[in-house]
Amino acid sequence: QVQVVESGGGLVQAGGSLRLSCAASGRFFSLNVMGWYRQAPGKQRELVATITNGGSTNYGDSVKGRFTISRDNVKNTVYLQMNSLKPEDTAVYYCNAQARITLYSASVLYWGQGTQVTVSS
């Protein structure tokens, strides 16, 4: 019922910037918290940032001050502006969206397929 698709990944030099986009589509009653997570090969998936419907944000310690999450509730899209990128930011970035299909159903987490971000030194 809900599809989550990321875009905007690519190759960038250290110190550069990149903006990721994630669009949620399908049939649902409401879209709640949206966020970004990342995973490097051999490492655990970790929190990057989340944002609520009201605009409250939460960031992982490793990206605080460098990344900014935002959303457009009309377009059902969440963005991640990444500045001052470091080689250690290299990972597959996954978008997550919490959605309620109907008024009476529980919220479910939906994941995108991921987009690769590579930061060269």
Side-chain angles (χ1 to χ4, degrees):
Q1 291 293 112
V2 182
Q3 292 78 48
V4 180
V5 181
E6 307 96 331
S7 63
L11 175 65
V12 64
Q13 287 187 306
S17 298
L18 208 60
R19 190 172 86 143
L20 305 182
S21 298
C22 171
S25 62
R27 304 277 294 187
F28 47 83
F29 174 76
S30 65
L31 194 62
N32 308 117
V33 177
M34 301 184 75
W36 290 94
Y37 296 75
R38 67 186 184 185
Q39 187 169 28
K43 298 182 67 177
Q44 202 77 19
R45 185 173 299 186
E46 66 173 349
L47 167 72
V48 177
T50 61
I51 184 168
T52 67
N53 286 347
S56 297
T57 59
N58 182 45
Y59 294 93
D61 290 338
S62 63
V63 306
K64 194 172 299 182
R66 298 188 298 122
F67 292 7
T68 302
I69 189 171
S70 61
R71 67 188 290 169
D72 185 331
N73 290 331
V74 176
K75 296 181 178 180
N76 293 326
T77 300
V78 63
Y79 306 94
L80 183 69
Q81 179 66 47
M82 304 185 292
N83 298 325
S84 302
L85 283 163
K86 305 174 181 179
E88 49 262 46
D89 293 319
T90 296
V92 176
Y93 284 68
Y94 296 91
C95 180
N96 173 273
Q98 183 185 49
R100 192 183 301 274
I101 304 302
T102 71
L103 174 64
Y104 307 103
S105 62
S107 293
V108 177
L109 298 178
Y110 295 88
W111 292 90
Q113 80 290 342
T115 184
Q116 177 70 49
V117 172
T118 302
V119 184
S120 64
S121 58

